[in-house]
Coordinates of all heavy atoms in Angstrom, one line a residue:
L28 N -1.5 -5.4 10.2 CA -2.3 -4.6 9.3 C -2.9 -5.5 8.2 O -2.2 -6.4 7.7 CB -1.5 -3.5 8.7 CG -0.8 -2.5 9.6 CD1 -0.1 -1.4 8.9 CD2 -1.8 -2.0 10.7
S29 N -4.1 -5.2 7.8 CA -4.7 -5.9 6.7 C -5.1 -4.9 5.6 O -5.5 -3.8 6.0 CB -5.9 -6.7 7.1 OG -5.6 -7.7 8.1
C30 N -5.1 -5.3 4.4 CA -5.6 -4.5 3.3 C -6.5 -5.3 2.4 O -6.0 -6.3 1.7 CB -4.4 -3.9 2.5 SG -4.8 -3.0 1.0
A31 N -7.8 -5.1 2.4 CA -8.7 -5.8 1.6 C -9.0 -5.1 0.3 O -9.2 -3.9 0.3 CB -10.0 -6.0 2.4
A32 N -8.9 -5.9 -0.8 CA -9.1 -5.3 -2.1 C -10.4 -5.8 -2.7 O -10.8 -6.9 -2.6 CB -7.9 -5.7 -3.0
S33 N -11.0 -4.9 -3.5 CA -12.1 -5.2 -4.3 C -11.7 -5.4 -5.7 O -10.6 -5.0 -6.1 CB -13.2 -4.1 -4.2 OG -12.7 -3.0 -4.8
G34 N -12.5 -6.0 -6.5 CA -12.2 -6.2 -7.9 C -11.5 -7.6 -8.2 O -11.1 -8.3 -7.2
R35 N -11.5 -7.9 -9.4 CA -11.0 -9.3 -9.8 C -9.6 -9.3 -10.2 O -9.1 -10.3 -10.7 CB -11.9 -9.8 -11.0 CG -13.3 -10.0 -10.5 CD -14.2 -10.6 -11.7 NE -14.4 -9.6 -12.7 CZ -15.1 -9.8 -13.8 NH1 -15.5 -11.0 -14.0 NH2 -15.3 -8.8 -14.7
T36 N -8.8 -8.2 -10.1 CA -7.5 -8.2 -10.6 C -6.4 -8.1 -9.5 O -5.2 -8.0 -9.8 CB -7.2 -7.0 -11.5 OG1 -7.4 -5.8 -10.8 CG2 -8.2 -7.0 -12.7
F37 N -6.9 -8.3 -8.2 CA -5.9 -8.2 -7.1 C -4.8 -9.2 -7.3 O -3.6 -8.9 -7.1 CB -6.7 -8.4 -5.8 CG -5.8 -8.6 -4.6 CD1 -5.2 -7.5 -4.0 CD2 -5.4 -9.9 -4.2 CE1 -4.4 -7.7 -2.9 CE2 -4.6 -10.1 -3.1 CZ -4.1 -9.0 -2.4
S38 N -5.2 -10.4 -7.6 CA -4.2 -11.5 -7.7 C -3.1 -11.3 -8.7 O -2.1 -12.0 -8.7 CB -4.9 -12.8 -7.9 OG -5.6 -12.8 -9.1
S39 N -3.3 -10.4 -9.6 CA -2.3 -10.1 -10.7 C -1.5 -8.8 -10.5 O -0.7 -8.4 -11.4 CB -3.0 -10.0 -12.1 OG -3.9 -8.9 -12.1
R40 N -1.7 -8.2 -9.3 CA -1.0 -6.9 -9.1 C 0.0 -7.0 -7.9 O -0.3 -7.7 -6.9 CB -2.0 -5.8 -8.8 CG -3.0 -5.6 -9.9 CD -3.9 -4.4 -9.7 NE -4.9 -4.3 -10.7 CZ -4.8 -3.7 -11.8 NH1 -3.7 -3.1 -12.1 NH2 -5.8 -3.6 -12.7
G41 N 1.1 -6.4 -8.1 CA 2.0 -6.2 -7.0 C 1.4 -5.3 -6.0 O 0.6 -4.4 -6.3
M42 N 1.8 -5.6 -4.7 CA 1.2 -4.8 -3.6 C 2.3 -4.2 -2.7 O 3.3 -4.9 -2.5 CB 0.3 -5.7 -2.7 CG -0.9 -6.2 -3.5 SD -2.1 -4.9 -4.0 CE -2.5 -4.2 -2.4
G43 N 2.1 -3.0 -2.2 CA 3.1 -2.4 -1.4 C 2.4 -1.8 -0.1 O 1.3 -1.5 -0.1
W44 N 3.2 -1.7 0.9 CA 2.9 -1.0 2.1 C 3.8 0.2 2.2 O 5.0 0.1 2.0 CB 3.0 -1.8 3.4 CG 1.9 -2.8 3.6 CD1 1.9 -4.1 3.3 CD2 0.6 -2.5 4.2 NE1 0.7 -4.7 3.6 CE2 -0.1 -3.7 4.2 CE3 0.0 -1.4 4.7 CZ2 -1.4 -3.8 4.7 CZ3 -1.3 -1.5 5.2 CH2 -2.0 -2.7 5.2
F45 N 3.2 1.4 2.5 CA 4.0 2.6 2.6 C 3.6 3.2 3.9 O 2.5 2.9 4.5 CB 3.6 3.6 1.4 CG 4.0 3.0 0.1 CD1 3.2 2.1 -0.6 CD2 5.1 3.5 -0.6 CE1 3.6 1.6 -1.8 CE2 5.5 3.0 -1.8 CZ 4.7 2.1 -2.4
R46 N 4.4 4.2 4.4 CA 4.0 4.9 5.6 C 4.4 6.4 5.4 O 5.4 6.7 4.7 CB 4.6 4.3 6.8 CG 6.1 4.3 6.9 CD 6.6 3.6 8.1 NE 8.0 3.6 8.3 CZ 8.7 2.9 9.2 NH1 8.1 2.0 10.0 NH2 10.0 3.0 9.2
Q47 N 3.7 7.2 6.2 CA 4.1 8.6 6.2 C 3.9 9.1 7.6 O 2.8 9.1 8.2 CB 3.2 9.4 5.2 CG 3.7 10.9 5.1 CD 3.1 11.6 3.9 OE1 2.0 11.2 3.4 NE2 3.7 12.6 3.5
A48 N 5.0 9.6 8.2 CA 5.0 10.2 9.5 C 4.8 11.7 9.4 O 5.2 12.3 8.3 CB 6.3 9.9 10.2
P49 N 4.4 12.3 10.4 CA 4.2 13.8 10.4 C 5.5 14.5 10.0 O 6.5 14.3 10.6 CB 3.7 14.1 11.8 CG 3.1 12.9 12.3 CD 3.9 11.8 11.7
G50 N 5.3 15.4 9.0 CA 6.5 16.2 8.6 C 7.5 15.4 7.7 O 8.6 16.0 7.4
K51 N 7.2 14.2 7.4 CA 8.1 13.4 6.6 C 7.5 13.0 5.3 O 6.3 13.0 5.1 CB 8.6 12.2 7.4 CG 9.4 12.5 8.6 CD 10.0 11.3 9.2 CE 10.9 11.6 10.4 NZ 11.5 10.4 11.0
E52 N 8.3 12.6 4.3 CA 7.8 12.1 3.1 C 7.4 10.7 3.2 O 7.8 9.9 4.1 CB 8.9 12.2 2.0 CG 9.3 13.6 1.6 CD 10.2 13.7 0.4 OE1 10.7 12.6 -0.1 OE2 10.5 14.8 -0.1
R53 N 6.5 10.3 2.3 CA 6.0 8.9 2.3 C 7.2 8.0 1.9 O 7.9 8.3 1.1 CB 4.9 8.8 1.3 CG 4.2 7.4 1.3 CD 3.0 7.4 0.4 NE 3.4 7.6 -1.0 CZ 2.6 8.1 -1.9 NH1 1.4 8.3 -1.6 NH2 3.1 8.2 -3.2
E54 N 7.3 6.9 2.6 CA 8.3 5.9 2.3 C 7.8 4.5 2.1 O 6.8 4.1 2.7 CB 9.4 5.9 3.4 CG 8.9 5.5 4.7 CD 10.0 5.3 5.8 OE1 11.2 5.4 5.4 OE2 9.6 5.2 7.0
S55 N 8.5 3.8 1.3 CA 8.1 2.4 1.1 C 8.6 1.6 2.3 O 9.7 1.7 2.8 CB 8.8 1.8 -0.2 OG 8.6 0.4 -0.3

């Protein structure tokens, strides 16, 4: 998976991947 960011502050921010399955809560 790739996540492309716009803006000039990407390099200063923490990044996370999350997922959500049907009927379940989102999880880190």
